[in-house]
Amino acid sequence: MFTEGGWRGPSFCEAATSASGRGEHRAEGVCSRLREAARRRGRPSLKGKRKRGSASVPERELGRMKTSAELHEQEKPPSSPRATGPGRLGHARGRGPDALRGGAAGPGRASSGAPRERKMAPHGPGSLTTLVPWAAALLLALGVERALALPEICTQCPGSVQNLSKVALYCKTTRELMLHARCCLNQKGTILGLDLQNCSLEDPGPNFHQAHTTVIIDLQANPLKGDLANTFRGFTQLQTLILPQDVNCPGGINAWNTITSYIDNQICQGQKNLCNNTGDPEMCPENGSCVPDGPGLLQCVCADGFHGYKCMRQGSFSLLMFFGILGSTTLSVSILLWATQRRKAKTS
């Protein structure tokens, strides 16, 4: 009647009582005790279904008979939510929803079938912190690129503009101007001030014409040599020029409103327009006009529709005719040279 795995259900009890009269009362007593124990636990004795999330495992039908030790263990309260019956059906049902997916329940998860929480990647404000280094690197790269894009004349002399220089005062007192290296620039990058004092310059250098838009230039404390008359050609906006004490202002007194000499420098202020001061009306041709070209310099510009020597030719310059004549002449000379050189190569 009794086996290791349990008892075998009502069919086994009926077969046992019919086979032996002596064990009839004994078998019926065992069956009644089992049914009573099943009722006390709140589950049907024959065909019970456990609720979802329950820690105990129901039996679909009364199967094998259980020993008294197993019955005693079943009457004890379950020690954990994962306690299940010893049968194969109990082990399969104790897994909860994972059993349907073919996976066993994890060690930290209850067998009640609670849904698994999924952790999503952070997409909140915390993810913006990763953009800060990239933004800083971009701003740094733009700053470096701006520094590299400065005109060469601004970095010709090492160091920066001194705080007490006239160029620095002009740049700080004028709105929307900023100091970069030796230059004072506006928002568009145009040079309006240049400070090359104490740079050991004998001449301003080939890049000096990059500063033809300047309003103020400081060249004091430099061993400048030679005549600076043609050095400032095209500097029509220049209003203040600071030179060493032994260097004359370009154009002389006729080109400047005031020239002031000090112990260590000489300041030329207020560039004059020689076209307004000259008394020679025939300086420019009839079809031309006078325009200033820097301190002490001027030039004649042809009026619209005139060109050539003394602006005597009327109409626009014919580029097609010019390049046509030049190209045909070059081609003819090239063919002639090729023929003569080839003849000399054959005779030799």
Side-chain angles (χ1 to χ4, degrees):
M1 291 176 62
F2 297 95
T3 61
E4 277 185 357
W7 64 292
R8 300 181 180 176
S11 58
F12 179 83
C13 293
E14 293 175 2
T17 52
S18 61
S20 176
R22 292 181 303 173
E24 180 178 0
H25 296 288
R26 184 177 179 181
E28 288 180 357
V30 172
C31 292
S32 62
R33 286 197 300 272
L34 292 176
R35 294 189 185 97
E36 186 65 21
R39 292 191 191 95
R40 285 198 302 269
R41 287 193 300 270
R43 59 183 180 179
S45 59
L46 294 178
K47 295 182 179 181
K49 295 183 179 179
R50 71 178 180 90
K51 297 180 180 179
R52 183 179 297 273
S54 175
S56 61
V57 180
E59 299 176 357
R60 289 190 301 179
E61 61 183 15
L62 290 176
R64 298 171 296 180
M65 295 184 64
K66 301 181 180 180
T67 61
S68 58
E70 292 175 347
L71 292 175
H72 182 68
E73 292 293 333
Q74 284 185 355
E75 293 179 358
K76 292 182 179 180
S79 59
S80 65
R82 295 196 57 183
T84 57
R88 287 177 295 175
L89 182 60
H91 286 289
R93 287 181 175 269
R95 295 174 185 172
D98 292 335
L100 299 177
R101 292 193 296 266
R109 185 187 310 154
S111 61
S112 59
R116 182 187 302 177
E117 294 182 359
R118 296 182 179 180
K119 294 183 179 180
M120 303 296 292
H123 293 286
S127 60
L128 297 178
T129 56
T130 58
L131 300 178
V132 174
W134 293 99
L138 180 60
L139 292 177
L140 181 61
L142 291 177
V144 172
E145 183 179 359
R146 184 181 180 88
L148 295 177
L150 286 174
E152 296 179 2
I153 189 63
C154 297
T155 57
Q156 179 177 350
C157 184
S160 58
V161 179
Q162 298 179 6
N163 294 329
L164 299 179
S165 68
K166 292 186 177 295
V167 176
L169 294 177
Y170 167 78
C171 198
K172 292 178 180 179
T173 55
T174 308
R175 296 182 58 185
E176 298 181 355
L177 297 184
M178 47 192 169
L179 290 171
H180 287 285
R182 291 280 182 159
C183 292
C184 176
L185 308 174
N186 61 6
Q187 297 293 334
K188 296 181 180 179
T190 304
I191 303 176
L192 297 181
L194 178 63
D195 189 345
L196 296 180
Q197 61 173 312
N198 198 16
C199 290
S200 302
L201 299 177
E202 294 184 359
D203 59 86
N207 298 323
F208 188 71
H209 190 71
Q210 296 176 354
H212 68 279
T213 57
T214 53
V215 177
I216 179 173
I217 297 178
D218 191 347
L219 292 175
Q220 62 179 319
N222 286 299
L224 296 176
K225 296 180 181 180
D227 187 12
L228 300 179
N230 293 323
T231 303
F232 294 92
R233 181 176 295 275
F235 287 70
T236 58
Q237 305 297 326
L238 185 61
Q239 295 299 321
T240 303
L241 177 61
I242 306 174
L243 296 172
Q245 200 277 335
D246 57 343
V247 178
N248 296 325
C249 295
I253 192 64
N254 296 326
W256 301 94
N257 293 328
T258 58
I259 297 177
T260 307
S261 296
Y262 295 96
I263 298 176
D264 54 350
N265 58 36
Q266 186 172 200
I267 301 177
C268 317
Q269 288 183 326
Q271 182 181 170
K272 291 182 180 180
N273 187 354
L274 294 183
C275 294
N276 297 333
N277 298 332
T278 181
D280 188 4
E282 297 181 357
M283 185 178 56
C284 289
E286 180 181 0
N287 298 323
S289 59
C290 176
V291 294
D293 195 24
L297 302 172
L298 51 83
Q299 61 177 340
C300 294
V301 179
C302 295
D304 294 339
F306 293 90
H307 65 279
Y309 176 71
K310 292 187 177 181
C311 303
M312 297 180 62
R313 293 185 179 182
Q314 191 173 4
S316 60
F317 182 75
S318 179
L319 295 177
L320 181 62
M321 182 181 296
F322 173 76
F323 286 108
I325 296 174
L326 180 63
S328 59
T329 304
T330 304
L331 181 62
S332 301
V333 173
S334 299
I335 293 174
L336 179 62
L337 292 176
W338 176 78
T340 54
Q341 295 298 326
R342 185 179 179 186
R343 183 179 298 177
K344 289 182 180 180
K346 286 184 178 181
T347 56
S348 60

